[in-house]
Amino acid sequence: DLLWSTFYFRSLRSFFILKSKIAEKLGSADVEGMIELLRTPELVDRRDSMSAVVYDLKEKTLHFSMGIIPATDGEFMELNLEKALQEENVQ
């Protein structure tokens, strides 16, 4: 027997919604815009989403909201990855 998790179908749905929304913003996206994109009602999982993260590769930062359902309703905090790695190497 082949069984599918319900997460699989929700993930597919999210993938196609994100694909079209990201295409609209291609070249003009910023962190705040991506956070707002994650807050798009069709993408928000109100059942069990406890983490949401935006990676800013240029600035080497993570912007994350965690620990509430849905995570996208929370405040996004910033982590500077370069600084965090430097501090880790000092210790």
Side-chain angles (χ1 to χ4, degrees), residues 59-62 78-87:
E59 297 297 322
K60 299 177 186 157
T61 57
L62 292 176
E78 180 179 312
L79 173 65
N80 183 305
L81 295 171
E82 192 167 41
K83 184 177 176 183
L85 290 172
Q86 288 173 353
E87 289 173 2

Side-chain angles (χ1 to χ4, degrees), residues 35 38-39 52-54 63-65 71-72 74-78:
I35 290 172
L38 288 176
R39 290 179 171 154
V53 181
V54 173
H63 301 263
F64 61 93
S65 176
T72 51
E75 179 183 344
F76 278 74
M77 299 173 23
E78 180 179 312

